[in-house]
Amino acid sequence: MEGSKPTKSSGNNATLLNPRTTHREFFGFPGSVAVMTITTIVLYVWYFSCSEATGCQLPVTKTQWLAIAAHAADYRSYVSLEALAYYALWWSWLAMLYFVIPGRTVQGVVLRNGQRLDYPINGLSSFLVTLCTATTVYSKFGIAPFLWIADHFFQLAAASYIFSTSQALFVYLRSFRRPSSGGQPVMLALAGNSGNPVYDFFIGRELNPRIGSLDLKYFNELRPGIMGWVVLNVSFAIKQYHTLGYVSNSMWLAIVPQICYCIDTLLFESKVLTTMDITTDGFGWMLSFGDLTWVPVMYSLQARYLAFHPVHHSTVSTVLIAVMAMASFLVFRLSNSEKNAFRINPSDPSLSHLRFIKTESGSKLLVSGWWGLARHINYTGDWMYGLAQCLATGFDTPMTYFFSAYFLVLLLHRNYRDECKCREKYKKDWDRYCELVPYMFIPYVI
């Protein structure tokens, strides 16, 4: 029918709302292909070179690489319909809780069309319900389900990879849908409307893809992957206990900070609504794969390694690593809390001791407190916290330090994006701010 076709006016509105992408992240098409290829290879290498069957040594010889390739080619050994079904059930369980668990509703930032989306803040409640359910499963079936998870780790990793890639393809194709008669055109991410299908699929074409009120980007950001990371860590600790009869101090040093980090993320769930992932990036393969596969699979490496290669630290080493983790977490949490409190209410009497500069854009930039020490002091705490978890694995292999190395690259990239965004937004005020806060990460060092 004629009424179902977008009018010339709606076409103009779509063009104004969704301008063609001019700057492409990751060097565009070649970079997006490289990232998808390299991260996939890393998953294979870090499993087939670091497992109970092979030990954990970085592959450096041709024979080792050929063995990895042979294992990867034998897809029947790790692509499992059973694992796919369990993973789909896990995702669906959390999606169901997204709707049924009561909680307050928070509005996101103002979008380019002037609208604000509603988001339910019930992630922590969903986690607690899932924890109670897992306890019920344990009381009925014992440790068997958790041993199954630990023993079928890579089948579940492959299932998450298939699921995340399928989800990314779904939202990419769906982003081309026509708006309903008189409705708003689909809002695209400014970086995801290049016209190159591979790049747009990777970076994310639609800004806020939703199925009804289920915001796919927001839901995937913190729930299936973050909570899955906890489940994997607990399963590997149970696996170690089943094998040794105890849980090593190294395992506690690795998983307790990680579980605390996941709970902290869910506790401050509403803060994710102002991050670049939600406000700026589209939802494509990069975020879908990162949320569902990369985070739980690669971040649980320390616990997986310690399940088959326990490390026993001295009392002094244990205390030093624990203190490093706690101190780093305090830097991360206190700096972020100070920033969030100031952002919500700069006139709060408890913040009266903080100094700031006013910008021409109307914003205020902190130049004292935590944010007077360094422009990205929270990144410093975040990275040191991850390094402490890696130190828990000892020094028998460099492979367990991948988490720390990767996280450093990730944070440096985020820092670059933040600096570019702020320089564009604040212009000469940013130069003035950088003169007052000259260090990026570590005071008096860098």
Side-chain angles (χ1 to χ4, degrees), residues 10-24:
S10 67
N12 291 336
N13 289 338
T15 302
L16 292 173
L17 183 66
N18 300 313
R20 182 65 74 181
T21 298
T22 55
H23 172 71
R24 301 185 185 187

Side-chain angles (χ1 to χ4, degrees), residues 356-367 375 418-438:
F356 58 86
I357 62 171
K358 293 183 178 180
T359 67
E360 292 183 358
S361 66
S363 301
K364 297 176 181 178
L365 299 176
L366 285 171
V367 294
R375 300 197 295 273
D418 289 345
E419 293 275 330
C420 290
K421 180 182 177 182
C422 290
R423 191 170 298 280
E424 180 180 355
K425 178 179 180 180
Y426 301 121
K427 298 181 173 59
K428 62 181 181 180
D429 289 322
W430 185 251
D431 294 328
R432 183 161 60 102
Y433 170 71
C434 290
E435 290 178 1
L436 294 170
V437 187

